[in-house]
Amino acid sequence: AEFVRNVRRAGHTVAFGECQAYGTKTPYFVWREIWRRLFDLDDDHPAERQIAALRRQLAAADPALEPRTPLLADVVGLSIPDSDLTRGFDAKLRKASLEDLLAVWLRARSRQAPVVAVLEDCHWIDELSLDLLGVLIRSATSLPVLFVLAYRPTAEPGGGLGVEGNAGFSELALDRMEPDDVAQLVRSKMQQLVGGDGDVSDALVELVAARCEGNPFYVEELLNFIVSQGVDASDPAAIETVRLPESLHTLVLSRIDAAAEGPRRTMKVASVVGRVFEAPMLPGAYEELGDLDAVLGHLDALRTLDLVALDREAEQAWMFKHVVTQEVAYESLPFALRAVLHGRVGDHIERTEADDLERAVPLLEHHYWRSDREDKKVLYLRLAAEQAQASYANQAAIAYYDRLVPLLEGGEQVQAMLGLGKVLDLVGDWSRARMVGEDALREATTLGDGGAQGWALAALADIDRRQGQFDDAREALSNAADLFRAAGDEAGEGQVLHLAGTVAAQTGDLDLARARYEESLLIRERIGDRAKVGSLYSNLAIVAEYAGDQDETVRMAELALAVREEAGDTWGVGVSHTNLGWIAIRAGQLAEARTHLETAIGLMQQVGDTWFTTSARALLANVDRDLGDLAAAGRGYAESLRVFVTLNDQVAQVEVLEDVATLATRLGDHEAAVALASAITAVRDELGSPMAEDLAAEHRGRLEPSVEALGDEGAAAAEARGRRLGIDGAVALALGVCTPAAEA
């Protein structure tokens, strides 16, 4: 509290958010109060006025941000209808665009005044909030922004949050209080409880210090207990006679049990809801407490006992004074009663949130999972798994599916396994994804469900493909195709053909790849899957490019663009312009490439895709380089590299490094060019991401002047230096090349 007061006195902006162990499981909840403060939103104003204020602020910072206002709904706790722009965003793009939007706004806000964001109880942070934290920390590296994270200690620094590797990270361990601090706290708390000048006996200080072992919450609770017993704190003899509870848990429980029956029951019901709870929910979930006025009276009594506090008056939201108090109250309930109460809380949320039930799914899953309501438990666990998967909260989705699968049987279990396998595949856990896929295949075979067998085989084939097991992938796809045809599943047939085309392309059979893609395209067009149609045209453009058919490459890429424009897919249109820009560069059509890439940058900035914006800028730097504007190229490469480092995308970094190596050759910095090329090869080998052979040959050709200039001995020395650099050293060397180029 003193820290926050001092920061505010300095004229800085301070925003505070609290993670929750129980009750509130809504994604981004921890950020809600932080961003409401940073956007200067006023709870007393109607929602429409608050949304209008958001739009004005975003437009003032950057007019391109305003159409993305609906993305802020979860973060600021408002229901905001989608705009024409955001309506077409899928879950992955919504997440990336929201993260970009908030990073841009944080930069704008920090120009007004330094910002301090305090996140409490981060050991309970939800996955999407943690992802956002990482993005904001990386984007704020050079800004007057301080993130203060409170969390329980772990074996490694950073509390398991993954923040310890960021620049400026430091960790302050809050161990037990020193004896002098305990004495000061005792006197201060006693002055608050009984008045006067805080005159207490040394015997009381020694007793509290010995029992509490430097735990400040224990100190406060023990003093509350002593005062409630009517003990004279200034009388050493009286202090000696007091009988204290044996532990902090026992102490807190005795304070709860000392309350009157109504307040005590209210507190125990509230402990089921969460550390923070809204008063109207309590009688709604447990009518035996009485009406709302009676509950508010009970809460006032508990506040007098220093057990709860009013958190947000406008929402009648209260909170337990300390999480330990909530935990003790919750654990004092018999298990069977806890289950009943969780079910009633879930029923109340279902009734009151019926108009926006999707937002309440994580909270409903939390309560029904702990209830005795098996039907609701399965329903909301499935919905929570699907919602987390759609939001790319991958670890949360895996955890939900792991609990869901054992509760299901038959076809429902197979579908849940397939959902789990998709998430495991996405996060790269291919070993477990394979096991889950094989389990799904066995169960589907037992059930005689040919369609489910087909999807399981297709998933296994995709894993085989990614791991280079192409014969196994072909066999699985062939079997899946037979099953899909027998089941009349056209979507499945389209998927098999699409994957078969990719396998053929990866193994160099371009004619077969084209044939399979075209067969899949016919099916996708027939069933109206426009997103896959656009994707297949892009695949066909790549096949034509590898085959050296420039006219077909352009035709397919333009068809992909037309489909995406027809569908109103702003992001997809940006991707297509990026692809067309790359194609034009390889064809030497630099003016056309610039037009495509500048269009792509504008579209990707509009939707907030930082990665694709940066990728297009890196390609635009190639245009500048090939036109002879080495200064502009250096600036573009340096900017792109810094962003990809911030995003921690090593593959993208390597691709920019390859272009910087060519820039070094053009600048005559031959040693740097060869060293970078060597470093790139080593990093690609480490990442398991080799360059396509035709592109590798082009790259070697561009660097040949540097190899010749150095001679055999000099080139060998530069290559040896490059192999020692690693990714960080290579980036540093590349930035050193870009700086003189930019200053030229």
Side-chain angles (χ1 to χ4, degrees):
E2 185 63 25
F3 164 78
V4 170
R5 282 195 292 271
N6 287 337
V7 172
R8 283 179 174 154
R9 286 192 198 105
H12 304 338
T13 299
V14 183
F16 177 92
E18 184 176 18
C19 304
Q20 301 265 324
Y22 298 103
T24 303
K25 294 286 184 178
T26 305
Y28 299 118
F29 175 82
V30 63
W31 292 104
R32 191 152 300 168
E33 291 304 314
I34 293 176
W35 284 103
R36 289 186 68 81
R37 177 167 178 80
L38 293 180
F39 281 113
D40 297 316
L41 297 182
D42 191 333
D43 290 336
D44 292 334
H45 292 160
E48 294 78 8
R49 185 170 173 182
Q50 296 182 53
I51 294 169
L54 282 174
R55 294 189 187 281
R56 286 195 301 272
Q57 292 179 66
L58 292 176
D62 183 344
L65 297 180
E66 191 275 332
R68 284 194 267 158
T69 304
L71 300 177
L72 294 172
D74 284 336
V75 177
V76 298
L78 294 170
S79 181
I80 309 176
D82 269 318
S83 64
D84 290 340
L85 175 68
T86 61
R87 191 172 294 112
F89 285 11
D90 64 12
K92 185 176 183 180
L93 181 55
R94 294 182 83 88
K95 179 176 182 289
S97 186
L98 170 64
E99 290 169 349
D100 172 80
L101 171 60
L102 293 174
V104 171
W105 179 255
L106 183 62
R107 288 195 289 272
R109 194 67 167 81
S110 67
R111 287 194 291 268
Q112 301 173 21
V115 173
V116 179
V118 184
L119 284 76
E120 178 76 292
D121 288 332
C122 286
H123 41 277
W124 290 322
I125 195 169
D126 68 90
E127 186 184 357
L128 291 176
S129 290
L130 183 59
D131 287 349
L132 179 56
L133 175 64
V135 169
L136 296 178
I137 288 175
R138 292 192 296 271
S139 69
T141 300
S142 60
L143 302 177
V145 176
L146 172 65
F147 292 94
V148 181
L149 315 177
Y151 48 82
R152 290 175 181 168
T154 58
E156 301 296 329
L161 302 174
V163 298
E164 65 277 4
N166 290 280
F169 170 80
S170 63
E171 186 171 67
L172 176 64
L174 300 180
D175 203 352
R176 64 183 61 189
M177 297 176 71
E178 296 298 324
D180 288 346
D181 296 322
V182 172
Q184 182 179 348
L185 177 57
V186 169
R187 293 187 171 91
S188 175
K189 183 65 178 178
M190 289 303 295
Q191 186 175 12
Q192 174 192 339
L193 291 173
V194 300
D197 57 4
D199 182 24
V200 299
S201 69
D202 291 340
L204 177 62
V205 174
E206 292 170 4
L207 174 67
V208 172
R211 177 59 64 93
C212 298
E213 298 182 337
N215 182 327
F217 175 64
Y218 202 167
V219 170
E220 290 199 343
E221 289 300 295
L222 198 58
L223 292 174
N224 279 322
F225 176 82
I226 290 171
V227 169
S228 72
Q229 300 299 303
V231 178
D232 184 352
S234 63
D235 183 357
I239 296 300
E240 289 182 4
T241 64
V242 68
R243 295 176 61 84
L244 300 178
E246 295 179 357
S247 66
L248 177 57
H249 184 284
T250 306
L251 171 61
V252 174
L253 184 58
S254 69
R255 297 230 309 118
I256 294 172
D257 288 342
E261 181 181 356
R264 183 172 67 249
R265 293 172 68 194
T266 296
M267 188 175 190
K268 292 187 176 186
V269 174
S271 73
V272 174
V273 178
R275 185 182 176 189
V276 177
F277 55 91
E278 293 179 6
M281 180 177 285
L282 304 185
Y286 196 68
E287 60 185 19
E288 292 89 335
L289 295 177
D291 61 16
L292 179 58
D293 288 339
V295 167
L296 290 173
H298 298 330
L299 291 172
D300 276 330
L302 293 168
R303 175 166 52 180
T304 302
L305 295 172
D306 205 25
L307 293 169
V308 301
L310 185 61
D311 186 42
R312 299 186 306 278
E313 186 172 2
E315 301 172 31
Q316 294 183 304
W318 293 69
M319 68 182 297
F320 283 85
K321 180 76 180 297
H322 196 281
V323 68
V324 173
T325 308
Q326 183 210 357
E327 289 173 350
V328 170
Y330 184 78
E331 291 167 6
S332 70
L333 290 166
F335 184 82
L337 179 56
R338 272 190 238 170
V340 170
L341 289 173
H342 275 296
R344 289 195 184 187
V345 171
D347 291 344
H348 176 77
I349 295 170
E350 262 194 334
R351 290 193 303 271
T352 56
E353 301 294 331
D355 293 337
D356 196 11
L357 204 57
E358 183 178 349
R359 189 187 296 269
V361 163
L363 184 54
L364 287 163
E365 183 281 326
H366 167 81
H367 286 295
Y368 283 126
W369 176 254
R370 291 157 179 80
S371 76
D372 54 2
R373 306 281 296 281
E374 296 301 320
D375 56 337
K376 300 285 189 177
K377 185 180 298 187
V378 171
L379 170 63
Y380 285 105
L381 190 54
R382 179 190 287 111
L383 291 174
E386 293 170 352
Q387 191 178 84
Q389 182 176 6
S391 301
Y392 291 86
N394 297 317
Q395 295 307 318
I398 290 169
Y400 286 135
Y401 274 123
D402 280 340
R403 286 190 281 129
L404 175 63
V405 168
L407 301 179
L408 300 175
E409 295 179 351
E412 289 187 336
Q413 187 179 59
V414 172
Q415 292 305 313
M417 288 178 180
L418 292 173
L420 173 59
K422 286 180 182 178
V423 186
L424 292 168
D425 181 54
L426 185 63
V427 300
D429 190 348
W430 292 332
S431 175
R432 188 166 176 229
R434 183 183 298 281
M435 288 190 293
V436 171
E438 290 171 348
D439 288 343
L441 178 59
R442 278 192 296 272
E443 182 64 24
T445 303
T446 300
L447 294 170
D449 186 339
Q453 287 176 259
W455 285 107
L457 282 167
L460 290 168
D462 201 23
I463 296 170
D464 289 333
R465 175 190 69 80
R466 293 171 187 271
Q467 296 183 317
Q469 299 169 4
F470 298 115
D471 288 341
D472 291 341
R474 291 188 190 97
E475 181 180 356
L477 289 172
S478 176
N479 292 333
D482 292 340
L483 289 163
F484 283 136
R485 279 193 292 271
D489 188 337
E490 285 196 296
E493 289 185 71
Q495 176 71 0
V496 163
L497 290 166
H498 199 150
L499 289 172
T502 302
V503 169
Q506 286 182 294
T507 54
D509 192 341
L510 299 183
D511 289 337
L512 181 60
R514 183 183 299 107
R516 293 293 177 262
Y517 282 147
E518 288 174 347
E519 290 176 69
S520 179
L521 181 61
L522 289 173
I523 293 174
R524 294 291 174 55
E525 286 180 330
R526 186 163 61 246
I527 64 178
D529 189 344
R530 302 303 289 169
K532 291 294 186 181
V533 167
S535 176
L536 281 160
Y537 281 136
S538 287
N539 291 139
L540 286 164
I542 293 170
V543 169
E545 174 72 18
Y546 287 161
D549 188 341
Q550 185 66 20
D551 291 341
E552 183 67 4
T553 300
V554 173
R555 189 175 79 85
M556 288 293 107
E558 288 179 343
L559 279 172
L561 174 60
V563 169
R564 287 163 166 166
E565 287 179 333
E566 178 190 343
D569 181 1
T570 304
W571 179 84
V573 170
V575 172
S576 283
H577 277 294
T578 303
N579 293 340
L580 284 164
W582 178 70
I583 291 167
I585 290 172
R586 297 199 70 199
Q589 299 166 347
L590 300 181
E592 183 178 340
R594 182 181 296 280
T595 298
H596 282 301
L597 293 170
E598 288 177 346
T599 301
I601 290 170
L603 291 169
M604 289 307 180
Q605 286 178 324
Q606 184 181 357
V607 302
D609 191 319
T610 303
W611 191 95
F612 256 108
T613 299
T614 305
S615 181
R617 280 178 174 155
L619 288 173
L620 192 58
N622 286 349
V623 174
D624 291 326
R625 181 197 66 199
D626 293 348
L627 287 172
D629 191 346
L630 302 186
R635 288 192 296 271
Y637 290 139
E639 179 183 359
S640 300
L641 264 180
R642 291 187 180 103
V643 174
F644 284 138
V645 168
T646 299
L647 295 175
N648 196 30
D649 188 332
Q650 294 191 2
V651 173
Q653 291 173 48
V654 166
E655 291 173 349
V656 177
L657 291 173
E658 289 161 355
D659 293 324
V660 175
T662 302
L663 176 66
T665 295
R666 300 279 179 89
L667 290 167
D669 192 347
H670 301 303
E671 183 181 356
V674 174
L676 278 172
S678 177
I680 290 162
T681 300
V683 173
R684 278 193 175 277
D685 288 344
E686 183 180 342
L687 294 174
S689 177
M691 189 188 299
E693 183 51 42
D694 61 331
L695 296 178
E698 287 183 17
H699 185 60
R700 288 192 296 270
R702 290 195 297 267
L703 295 179
E704 191 60 34
S706 290
V707 175
E708 293 178 357
L710 291 174
D712 292 343
E713 187 174 337
E719 288 175 358
R721 176 193 173 197
R723 285 192 295 271
R724 295 191 298 269
L725 285 175
I727 185 68
D728 293 337
V731 168
L733 176 58
L735 291 174
V737 170
C738 292
T739 301
E743 294 173 350

Coordinates of all heavy atoms in Angstrom, one line a residue, residues 273-323:
V273 N -18.3 -19.1 -3.4 CA -18.4 -18.2 -4.6 C -17.0 -17.8 -5.0 O -16.7 -17.8 -6.2 CB -19.3 -17.0 -4.3 CG1 -19.3 -16.0 -5.5 CG2 -20.7 -17.4 -3.9
G274 N -16.2 -17.3 -4.0 CA -14.9 -16.9 -4.4 C -14.4 -15.9 -3.4 O -15.1 -15.4 -2.5
R275 N -13.1 -15.5 -3.5 CA -12.5 -14.5 -2.6 C -13.2 -13.2 -2.8 O -13.5 -12.4 -1.8 CB -11.0 -14.3 -2.8 CG -10.5 -13.4 -1.7 CD -9.0 -13.1 -1.9 NE -8.6 -12.1 -0.9 CZ -7.4 -11.6 -0.8 NH1 -6.5 -11.9 -1.7 NH2 -7.1 -10.7 0.1
V276 N -13.5 -12.8 -4.0 CA -14.4 -11.6 -4.3 C -15.7 -12.1 -4.7 O -15.8 -13.0 -5.6 CB -13.7 -10.8 -5.4 CG1 -14.6 -9.6 -5.8 CG2 -12.3 -10.3 -5.0
F277 N -16.8 -11.6 -4.2 CA -18.1 -12.0 -4.4 C -19.1 -10.9 -4.4 O -18.9 -9.9 -3.7 CB -18.6 -13.1 -3.4 CG -18.5 -12.6 -2.0 CD1 -19.5 -12.0 -1.3 CD2 -17.3 -12.8 -1.3 CE1 -19.4 -11.6 0.0 CE2 -17.1 -12.3 0.0 CZ -18.2 -11.7 0.7
E278 N -20.2 -11.0 -5.2 CA -21.2 -9.9 -5.2 C -22.3 -10.4 -4.2 O -22.8 -11.5 -4.3 CB -21.7 -9.7 -6.6 CG -20.7 -9.1 -7.5 CD -21.1 -8.9 -8.9 OE1 -22.3 -9.1 -9.2 OE2 -20.3 -8.5 -9.8
A279 N -22.7 -9.5 -3.4 CA -23.7 -9.8 -2.3 C -25.0 -10.4 -2.9 O -25.5 -11.3 -2.3 CB -24.0 -8.5 -1.5
P280 N -25.5 -9.8 -4.0 CA -26.8 -10.4 -4.5 C -26.7 -11.9 -4.8 O -27.8 -12.5 -4.9 CB -27.1 -9.5 -5.7 CG -26.4 -8.2 -5.4 CD -25.2 -8.6 -4.7
M281 N -25.5 -12.4 -5.1 CA -25.4 -13.8 -5.5 C -25.7 -14.7 -4.3 O -26.2 -15.8 -4.5 CB -24.0 -14.1 -6.1 CG -23.9 -15.6 -6.5 SD -22.3 -15.9 -7.2 CE -22.5 -15.2 -8.8
L282 N -25.4 -14.2 -3.1 CA -25.5 -15.1 -1.9 C -27.0 -15.6 -1.6 O -27.2 -16.8 -1.5 CB -24.9 -14.5 -0.7 CG -23.4 -14.0 -0.9 CD1 -22.9 -13.5 0.4 CD2 -22.6 -15.2 -1.4
P283 N -27.9 -14.6 -1.5 CA -29.3 -15.1 -1.3 C -29.9 -15.8 -2.6 O -30.7 -16.7 -2.5 CB -30.1 -13.9 -1.0 CG -29.3 -12.7 -1.6 CD -27.9 -13.2 -1.5
G284 N -29.4 -15.4 -3.7 CA -29.8 -16.1 -4.9 C -29.4 -17.5 -5.0 O -30.1 -18.4 -5.5
A285 N -28.2 -17.8 -4.4 CA -27.7 -19.2 -4.5 C -28.2 -20.0 -3.2 O -28.3 -21.2 -3.3 CB -26.2 -19.2 -4.5
Y286 N -28.4 -19.3 -2.1 CA -28.8 -20.0 -0.9 C -29.8 -19.2 -0.1 O -29.5 -18.3 0.7 CB -27.5 -20.2 0.0 CG -27.6 -21.2 1.1 CD1 -27.8 -22.6 0.8 CD2 -27.6 -20.8 2.4 CE1 -27.9 -23.5 1.8 CE2 -27.7 -21.8 3.4 CZ -27.9 -23.1 3.1 OH -28.0 -24.0 4.1
E287 N -31.1 -19.4 -0.5 CA -32.1 -18.5 0.0 C -32.3 -18.6 1.5 O -32.9 -17.7 2.1 CB -33.5 -18.9 -0.7 CG -33.9 -20.3 -0.5 CD -35.1 -20.7 -1.3 OE1 -35.4 -19.9 -2.3 OE2 -35.8 -21.6 -0.9
E288 N -31.7 -19.7 2.1 CA -31.8 -19.8 3.6 C -31.1 -18.7 4.3 O -31.4 -18.5 5.5 CB -31.3 -21.1 4.0 CG -32.1 -22.4 3.6 CD -31.6 -22.9 2.2 OE1 -31.1 -22.1 1.4 OE2 -31.8 -24.1 2.0
L289 N -30.3 -17.9 3.6 CA -29.6 -16.8 4.3 C -30.6 -15.6 4.5 O -30.2 -14.7 5.3 CB -28.5 -16.3 3.4 CG -27.3 -17.3 3.2 CD1 -26.3 -16.7 2.3 CD2 -26.7 -17.6 4.6
G290 N -31.7 -15.6 3.9 CA -32.6 -14.4 3.9 C -32.5 -13.6 2.7 O -31.9 -13.9 1.7
D291 N -33.2 -12.4 2.7 CA -33.2 -11.6 1.5 C -31.9 -10.8 1.5 O -31.0 -10.9 2.4 CB -34.4 -10.6 1.5 CG -34.4 -9.7 2.7 OD1 -33.4 -9.6 3.4 OD2 -35.5 -9.1 3.0
L292 N -31.7 -9.9 0.4 CA -30.5 -9.2 0.2 C -30.2 -8.3 1.4 O -29.0 -8.1 1.8 CB -30.6 -8.4 -1.1 CG -29.3 -7.5 -1.4 CD1 -28.1 -8.4 -1.5 CD2 -29.5 -6.8 -2.7
D293 N -31.2 -7.6 2.0 CA -31.0 -6.7 3.1 C -30.4 -7.5 4.3 O -29.5 -7.0 5.0 CB -32.3 -6.0 3.5 CG -32.7 -4.9 2.5 OD1 -31.8 -4.5 1.7 OD2 -33.9 -4.6 2.5
A294 N -30.9 -8.7 4.5 CA -30.4 -9.5 5.6 C -28.9 -9.8 5.4 O -28.1 -9.8 6.3 CB -31.2 -10.7 5.8
V295 N -28.6 -10.2 4.1 CA -27.2 -10.6 3.8 C -26.3 -9.4 3.9 O -25.2 -9.5 4.5 CB -27.2 -11.2 2.4 CG1 -25.7 -11.2 1.9 CG2 -27.8 -12.5 2.3
L296 N -26.7 -8.2 3.5 CA -25.9 -7.0 3.6 C -25.6 -6.7 5.1 O -24.5 -6.3 5.5 CB -26.5 -5.8 3.0 CG -26.6 -5.9 1.4 CD1 -27.4 -4.7 0.9 CD2 -25.2 -5.8 0.9
G297 N -26.6 -7.0 6.0 CA -26.4 -6.8 7.4 C -25.4 -7.8 7.9 O -24.6 -7.4 8.8
H298 N -25.5 -9.0 7.5 CA -24.5 -10.0 7.9 C -23.1 -9.6 7.5 O -22.1 -9.7 8.2 CB -24.8 -11.4 7.3 CG -26.1 -11.9 7.8 ND1 -26.7 -11.6 9.0 CD2 -27.0 -12.8 7.1 CE1 -27.9 -12.2 9.1 NE2 -28.1 -12.9 8.0
L299 N -23.0 -9.1 6.2 CA -21.6 -8.7 5.7 C -21.1 -7.5 6.5 O -19.9 -7.4 6.8 CB -21.7 -8.3 4.2 CG -22.0 -9.6 3.3 CD1 -22.3 -9.1 1.9 CD2 -20.8 -10.5 3.4
D300 N -22.0 -6.6 6.9 CA -21.5 -5.4 7.7 C -21.0 -5.9 9.1 O -20.0 -5.4 9.6 CB -22.7 -4.5 8.0 CG -22.8 -3.5 6.8 OD1 -21.8 -3.2 6.2 OD2 -23.9 -3.0 6.6
A301 N -21.6 -7.0 9.6 CA -21.2 -7.5 10.9 C -19.8 -8.2 10.7 O -18.9 -8.0 11.5 CB -22.2 -8.6 11.4
L302 N -19.6 -8.9 9.6 CA -18.3 -9.5 9.3 C -17.2 -8.4 9.0 O -16.1 -8.7 9.4 CB -18.4 -10.4 8.1 CG -19.3 -11.7 8.3 CD1 -19.6 -12.3 7.0 CD2 -18.7 -12.6 9.3
R303 N -17.6 -7.3 8.4 CA -16.6 -6.2 8.2 C -16.2 -5.7 9.6 O -15.0 -5.4 9.8 CB -17.3 -5.1 7.4 CG -16.3 -3.9 7.2 CD -16.8 -3.0 6.1 NE -18.2 -2.6 6.2 CZ -18.8 -1.8 5.3 NH1 -18.1 -1.3 4.3 NH2 -20.0 -1.4 5.5
T304 N -17.1 -5.5 10.5 CA -16.8 -5.1 11.8 C -15.7 -6.0 12.5 O -14.8 -5.5 13.2 CB -18.0 -5.0 12.7 OG1 -19.0 -4.1 12.1 CG2 -17.7 -4.4 14.1
L305 N -15.9 -7.3 12.2 CA -14.9 -8.3 12.8 C -13.6 -8.3 12.0 O -12.8 -9.2 12.3 CB -15.6 -9.6 12.8 CG -16.8 -9.8 13.7 CD1 -17.5 -11.1 13.5 CD2 -16.3 -9.6 15.2
D306 N -13.5 -7.5 10.9 CA -12.3 -7.5 10.1 C -12.0 -8.8 9.4 O -10.9 -9.2 9.1 CB -11.0 -7.1 11.0 CG -9.9 -6.5 10.1 OD1 -10.3 -5.9 9.1 OD2 -8.8 -6.6 10.5
L307 N -13.1 -9.4 8.9 CA -13.0 -10.6 8.2 C -13.3 -10.4 6.7 O -12.7 -11.1 5.9 CB -14.0 -11.7 8.7 CG -13.7 -12.2 10.1 CD1 -14.9 -13.0 10.7 CD2 -12.4 -13.1 10.1
V308 N -14.1 -9.5 6.3 CA -14.4 -9.1 4.9 C -14.3 -7.6 4.8 O -14.3 -6.9 5.8 CB -15.8 -9.6 4.5 CG1 -15.9 -11.1 4.6 CG2 -16.9 -8.9 5.2
A309 N -14.2 -7.2 3.5 CA -14.2 -5.7 3.3 C -15.0 -5.5 2.0 O -15.1 -6.3 1.1 CB -12.8 -5.2 3.1
L310 N -15.6 -4.3 1.9 CA -16.3 -3.9 0.7 C -15.3 -3.6 -0.4 O -14.3 -2.8 -0.2 CB -17.1 -2.6 1.0 CG -18.0 -2.1 -0.2 CD1 -19.1 -3.2 -0.5 CD2 -18.7 -0.8 0.2
D311 N -15.4 -4.2 -1.6 CA -14.5 -4.1 -2.6 C -14.9 -3.0 -3.7 O -14.2 -2.1 -3.9 CB -14.3 -5.4 -3.3 CG -13.2 -5.4 -4.4 OD1 -12.1 -4.8 -4.1 OD2 -13.3 -6.0 -5.4
R312 N -16.1 -3.2 -4.2 CA -16.7 -2.2 -5.2 C -18.1 -1.9 -4.8 O -19.0 -2.8 -5.0 CB -16.6 -2.8 -6.6 CG -15.1 -3.1 -7.1 CD -15.0 -3.5 -8.5 NE -15.9 -4.6 -8.8 CZ -15.6 -5.9 -8.6 NH1 -14.5 -6.2 -8.1 NH2 -16.5 -6.9 -8.9
E313 N -18.4 -0.8 -4.3 CA -19.7 -0.4 -3.8 C -20.8 -0.5 -4.9 O -21.9 -1.0 -4.6 CB -19.6 1.0 -3.2 CG -20.9 1.3 -2.4 CD -20.8 2.6 -1.6 OE1 -19.7 3.2 -1.7 OE2 -21.8 3.0 -1.0
A314 N -20.4 0.0 -6.1 CA -21.5 0.1 -7.2 C -22.0 -1.3 -7.5 O -23.2 -1.4 -7.9 CB -20.9 0.8 -8.4
E315 N -21.2 -2.3 -7.4 CA -21.6 -3.6 -7.8 C -21.9 -4.5 -6.5 O -22.2 -5.7 -6.7 CB -20.5 -4.3 -8.6 CG -20.1 -3.6 -9.9 CD -18.9 -4.2 -10.5 OE1 -18.7 -5.5 -10.4 OE2 -18.1 -3.5 -11.2
Q316 N -21.9 -3.8 -5.4 CA -22.1 -4.5 -4.1 C -21.2 -5.8 -4.0 O -21.6 -6.8 -3.6 CB -23.6 -5.0 -4.0 CG -24.6 -3.8 -3.8 CD -26.0 -4.3 -3.6 OE1 -26.5 -5.0 -4.4 NE2 -26.6 -3.8 -2.5
A317 N -19.9 -5.5 -4.4 CA -18.9 -6.6 -4.4 C -18.1 -6.5 -3.1 O -17.6 -5.4 -2.8 CB -18.0 -6.4 -5.6
W318 N -17.9 -7.6 -2.5 CA -17.1 -7.7 -1.3 C -16.0 -8.7 -1.5 O -16.0 -9.4 -2.5 CB -18.0 -8.3 -0.1 CG -19.1 -7.3 0.2 CD1 -20.2 -7.0 -0.5 CD2 -19.3 -6.6 1.5 NE1 -21.0 -6.1 0.2 CE2 -20.4 -5.8 1.4 CE3 -18.5 -6.5 2.6 CZ2 -20.9 -5.0 2.4 CZ3 -18.9 -5.7 3.7 CH2 -20.1 -4.9 3.6
M319 N -15.0 -8.7 -0.5 CA -13.9 -9.6 -0.6 C -13.5 -10.0 0.8 O -13.7 -9.3 1.7 CB -12.7 -9.0 -1.4 CG -12.1 -7.8 -0.6 SD -10.7 -7.1 -1.6 CE -9.6 -8.6 -1.8
F320 N -13.0 -11.2 0.8 CA -12.4 -11.7 2.1 C -11.1 -10.9 2.4 O -10.4 -10.6 1.5 CB -12.1 -13.2 2.0 CG -13.3 -14.1 2.1 CD1 -14.1 -14.4 1.0 CD2 -13.7 -14.6 3.4 CE1 -15.2 -15.2 1.1 CE2 -14.8 -15.4 3.5 CZ -15.5 -15.7 2.4
K321 N -10.9 -10.6 3.7 CA -9.8 -9.8 4.0 C -8.5 -10.5 3.6 O -7.5 -9.8 3.2 CB -9.8 -9.6 5.6 CG -8.6 -8.8 6.1 CD -8.8 -7.3 5.8 CE -7.6 -6.5 6.4 NZ -7.5 -6.6 7.9
H322 N -8.4 -11.8 3.6 CA -7.2 -12.5 3.2 C -7.7 -13.8 2.6 O -8.7 -14.4 3.0 CB -6.3 -12.7 4.4 CG -4.9 -13.1 4.0 ND1 -4.6 -14.4 3.6 CD2 -3.7 -12.4 3.9 CE1 -3.3 -14.4 3.3 NE2 -2.8 -13.2 3.5
V323 N -6.9 -14.3 1.6 CA -7.3 -15.6 1.0 C -7.3 -16.7 2.0 O -8.1 -17.7 1.9 CB -6.3 -15.9 -0.2 CG1 -4.9 -16.2 0.3 CG2 -6.9 -17.0 -1.0

